[in-house]
Amino acid sequence: MGAVTGAPPLAAEDDLRRDRSGHLRGRTVLDRCIGWLLPLLFLVAIAPILDLVYWVASRALPTFTLSIITTNPSGAAGGLLSPIVGSLEILLLATLVAIALGFFGGLATAEYLDEETAGAIRVTANVMVGIPSIILGLFGFIVFVKYFGWGASLAAAGVTLGIFMTPYVYRATDLAYLSVPPHIREAAVGSGATPLQYLFRVATPIAFPSVLTGIFLAMAIGVGETAPILLATTPVAIPPLSLFQPASALPLYIWSGFENGLILPVAIHRAFQAAFLLLVIVVGLNVLVRIIAARSRRRLEGLFQ
Amino acid sequence: MSQPPVAGPAGGRQPLPFLARLRAGIARWWPYVPALLPLALTLAIVDSLIGASRLQNFGAGFFGFIITDYGILIFVVGSFLTSVPALVIAMLVGLGIAIASTTYLPRFLSEWLDPFVDLLAGIPSIVYGLWGFLIVAPFFGHDIFPTVAPALAWIPGFHPSFNSPSLEGTGLALGIIILTLMILPITTLLMRDALRSVPRDLWESGLALGATRWEVARHVAIPYAKRGIWGAAFLGFGRAMGETVAVYFVIDQTARLPTNIYAPTSTMASLIVSSIAQNLAGTDLHFLAEMALVLLAITLVVNVAGRWMIRRTFTDVAGL
């Protein structure tokens, strides 16, 4: 790119902005007012979420005991063991599917296709990100549950969610390998590395942290999704013993609570506790991503100095 | 990566043996197989939906108003009624945040606040829905709407009619509010990127001419980043149209057009998701697949347009 972009840092007080008697000019006053008012808009974005986190935590934590994560649900009461286990199992399967379907595409686009083809193919992956998740859910229901005859099962939910997560992994891999600086590649090829040596010994070690952050981000998005798995599995009270048994999940647990009316206080508490666990997982994965990104950036800066 | 031509002893090209040609062909073409998977999956989704639908229903009746007999128009209208206002609010607020973050805030503050806004995009839809249904809806129904509604009643569509179950919190208005919160992070993020891509030279030449930061943002940066901002609008709209669970929780899912802004209604996505509780077979599945095709067509067009605009912005910057 080369060109420096973005607004320059704030300048010091500027005498040109004052008229002869030293008063600020009208346009400058307007600028100052906007400078104070616009940042307040951050509150519009952040305040509701603080409210959300506060309410979810305040409804979830007072009745939170260890038995909630060690027992299965029974009716509106009981614990959250099977949704937690089911969520993790579905997420594990989905992540494997997404890596299998997305990683090699991203690698091929970044490393092995010419610029124009890669650009066009990138658009298709970006457009796939925009497909509404409920449509993915309907697709999974039609293909895996009905056509393949898997029924409402862990496999159908995991594969559907995996397809939902595929373009995220694809984009992350693509960007990760694209970000390997050209001079590193030239140095490797120039010192006689074969394409495979370059890929495994040079590009992958540099790109790996970014690929990993992309996969974690895809997991953070996938674990909270309700619509893709809603049709592919049913909220059951026990964790599945095989791939073709239905598996519950935390979002599905909240969903079925809503469908049953959320009238009993214990049902409301359980729903908020499931939501709280989801928030913890999502925020935890995001924090993990930032830690990995920061560490790898430090490492890369050391590498390129 | 291409195979070098093999020169024979006579200097002319000899035909390669079959296996070598096969190897060369695989080396040349294998990247297309995984790279085209997203496109193949998208086509598979379209194909499965077409297979599950009955395309002959795409007639006048399909787009008719009648709910009992394969009507879809009211759900399309419902989707637009929630998405368009949410998009307008989210674009205005998001643009304000983007300008504040790129222009006015000191570096250390925006470095702390920007990742926070990005994190909001990751909060699961169903958590928004639960919070909206159990916390926000009672609050708005008891405290906000009864105070605000009489003051706004002169606006067409804002008058709470007394026959409909209005002012209970859930309904179109709350759907718009929750949807706004949900797409705000993505529009903010995209517009921030668009404004960040404005060359420093342009900012500084504007400031050097004596313009204030607001004037530069308003008359230089926003026009320059126009395509990126439009791209943000398109992608945000696609996101809003496809948003399902949270909207379903707060919109008081009812298959009819809203009589006022507080009334219950239905979007395409929320209708699909609400039908899941019922027995999903036969005509129901046909109908849902047809509706999903319409929704998919809208979101695909919107997303292709949005991505195209954003891509153009970036190539412009790279070309400078």
Side-chain angles (χ1 to χ4, degrees):
Chain A
M1 302 254 272
V4 181
T5 58
L10 284 169
E13 190 80 23
D14 191 350
D15 286 339
L16 284 174
R17 286 156 205 277
R18 295 174 182 279
D19 60 24
R20 279 188 195 152
S21 51
H23 295 296
L24 285 174
R25 290 173 183 169
R27 346 188 329 260
T28 314
V29 173
L30 175 74
D31 179 56
R32 295 282 157 88
C33 290
I34 288 171
W36 281 104
L37 289 178
L38 276 188
L40 292 182
L41 284 177
F42 267 103
L43 288 179
V44 178
I46 292 175
I49 306 308
L50 293 180
D51 184 70
L52 181 151
V53 172
Y54 165 75
W55 279 107
V56 169
S58 73
R59 291 287 173 93
L61 290 181
T63 53
F64 200 94
T65 58
L66 199 61
S67 66
I68 284 168
I69 52 173
T70 55
T71 53
N72 283 320
S74 61
L80 292 169
L81 180 64
S82 79
I84 294 170
V85 174
S87 259
L88 296 180
E89 284 175 331
I90 292 173
L91 186 62
L92 179 68
L93 181 58
T95 308
L96 294 178
V97 170
I99 292 173
L101 293 178
F103 175 82
F104 299 100
L107 177 67
T109 311
E111 291 282 337
Y112 297 107
L113 291 177
D114 60 279
E115 282 289 314
E116 269 180 38
T117 323
I121 283 175
R122 252 169 227 136
V123 174
T124 65
N126 279 327
V127 166
M128 192 186 168
V129 170
I131 295 179
S133 55
I134 183 68
I135 288 180
L136 256 302
L138 210 53
F139 164 76
F141 177 76
I142 292 166
V143 174
F144 301 121
V145 177
K146 290 286 179 191
Y147 186 72
F148 287 2
W150 294 353
S153 61
L154 169 61
V159 175
T160 309
L161 193 61
I163 291 175
F164 173 81
M165 286 158 58
T166 295
Y168 294 96
V169 174
Y170 177 106
R171 285 203 311 193
T173 315
D174 183 21
L175 283 177
Y177 280 93
L178 268 187
S179 69
V180 177
H183 66 262
I184 299 261
R185 178 187 194 124
E186 283 152 17
V189 175
S191 51
T194 65
L196 278 183
Q197 279 174 334
Y198 165 72
L199 180 65
F200 285 115
R201 303 252 180 103
V202 181
T204 303
I206 295 176
F208 187 69
S210 312
V211 176
L212 204 61
T213 57
I215 291 171
F216 280 136
L217 275 183
M219 290 169 77
I221 294 167
V223 73
E225 278 295 330
T226 318
I229 57 173
L230 198 51
L231 283 159
T233 179
T234 49
V236 285
I238 48 167
L241 293 172
S242 85
L243 273 177
F244 296 99
Q245 285 178 358
S248 188
L250 287 169
L252 285 189
Y253 184 86
I254 303 174
W255 166 268
S256 67
F258 176 81
E259 287 296 306
N260 292 330
L262 284 177
I263 297 159
L264 292 174
V266 64
I268 292 176
H269 284 140
R270 282 299 172 278
F272 273 112
Q273 277 150 1
F276 183 75
L277 288 174
L278 267 184
L279 278 182
V280 169
I281 296 173
V282 169
V283 173
L285 280 169
N286 273 289
V287 169
L288 193 64
V289 162
R290 293 200 189 283
I291 291 173
I292 297 176
R295 280 187 56 181
S296 72
R297 200 179 321 128
R298 268 212 305 279
R299 203 174 58 111
L300 286 184
E301 276 163 8
L303 189 64
F304 296 144
Q305 262 165 13
Chain B
M1 296 305 117
S2 64
Q3 197 79 0
V6 179
R13 286 179 106 196
Q14 277 188 349
L16 287 167
F18 174 71
L19 276 179
R21 264 190 298 156
L22 188 68
R23 275 189 56 182
I26 290 176
R28 169 92 176 77
W29 294 106
W30 78 264
Y32 286 92
V33 176
L36 287 172
L37 258 178
L39 182 64
L41 287 171
T42 309
L43 293 178
I45 291 167
V46 174
D47 182 59
S48 76
L49 290 177
I50 290 178
S53 70
R54 292 177 303 180
L55 274 179
Q56 65 264 32
N57 276 334
F58 275 107
F62 184 70
F63 291 101
F65 260 104
I66 310 133
I67 166 64
T68 53
D69 190 7
Y70 290 108
I72 179 181
L73 194 57
I74 60 167
F75 304 110
V76 180
V77 172
S79 278
F80 275 88
L81 277 179
T82 48
S83 300
V84 173
L87 181 70
V88 170
I89 305 171
M91 285 300 289
L92 291 175
V93 177
L95 188 59
I97 295 177
I99 292 175
S101 154
T102 53
T103 314
Y104 285 107
L105 282 183
R107 194 74 177 269
F108 75 95
L109 256 182
S110 61
E111 264 176 6
W112 270 97
L113 287 172
D114 290 346
F116 203 86
V117 174
D118 299 351
L119 183 63
L120 306 186
I123 292 181
S125 176
I126 193 142
V127 178
Y128 275 106
L130 189 71
W131 171 71
F133 176 66
L134 285 177
I135 309 291
V136 186
F139 173 63
F140 271 68
H142 289 139
D143 298 330
I144 302 288
F145 289 160
T147 0
V148 171
L152 296 177
W154 54 274
I155 307 173
F158 279 67
H159 194 280
S161 56
F162 295 100
N163 293 329
S164 68
S166 59
L167 297 186
E168 282 183 356
T170 53
L172 179 59
L174 196 65
I176 292 171
I177 291 168
I178 298 290
L179 210 46
T180 306
L181 292 178
M182 295 188 67
I183 64 170
L184 185 55
I186 186 85
T187 54
T188 306
L189 188 151
L190 290 169
M191 284 191 280
R192 208 173 60 211
D193 281 355
L195 289 178
R196 286 252 165 83
S197 74
V198 177
R200 175 75 62 85
D201 297 354
L202 285 185
W203 286 94
E204 285 180 347
S205 42
L207 294 175
L209 287 172
T212 60
R213 300 181 76 83
W214 167 249
E215 284 160 351
V216 178
R218 167 80 182 73
H219 297 290
V220 178
I222 291 180
Y224 185 89
K226 201 167 60 188
R227 280 216 212 93
I229 291 170
W230 274 106
F234 275 86
L235 294 185
F237 185 70
R239 184 66 73 97
M241 290 289 277
E243 201 48 66
T244 311
V245 176
V247 175
Y248 170 67
F249 272 35
V250 299
I251 207 173
D252 194 9
Q253 175 67 30
T254 311
R256 62 162 182 241
L257 285 175
T259 48
N260 59 61
I261 196 165
Y262 311 102
T265 180
S266 172
T267 69
M268 287 190 274
S270 79
L271 180 83
I272 297 176
V273 92
S274 77
S275 309
I276 285 163
Q278 301 150 17
N279 182 20
L280 231 191
T283 47
D284 280 347
L285 184 58
H286 294 311
F287 178 57
L288 293 188
E290 286 147 14
M291 179 115 73
L293 274 175
V294 175
L295 178 59
L296 184 61
I298 295 175
T299 47
L300 281 185
V301 167
V302 165
N303 272 288
V304 170
R307 290 288 168 194
W308 181 73
M309 286 175 193
I310 286 180
R311 202 170 144 230
R312 286 288 294 274
T313 316
F314 288 151
T315 47
D316 274 2
V317 174
L320 253 163

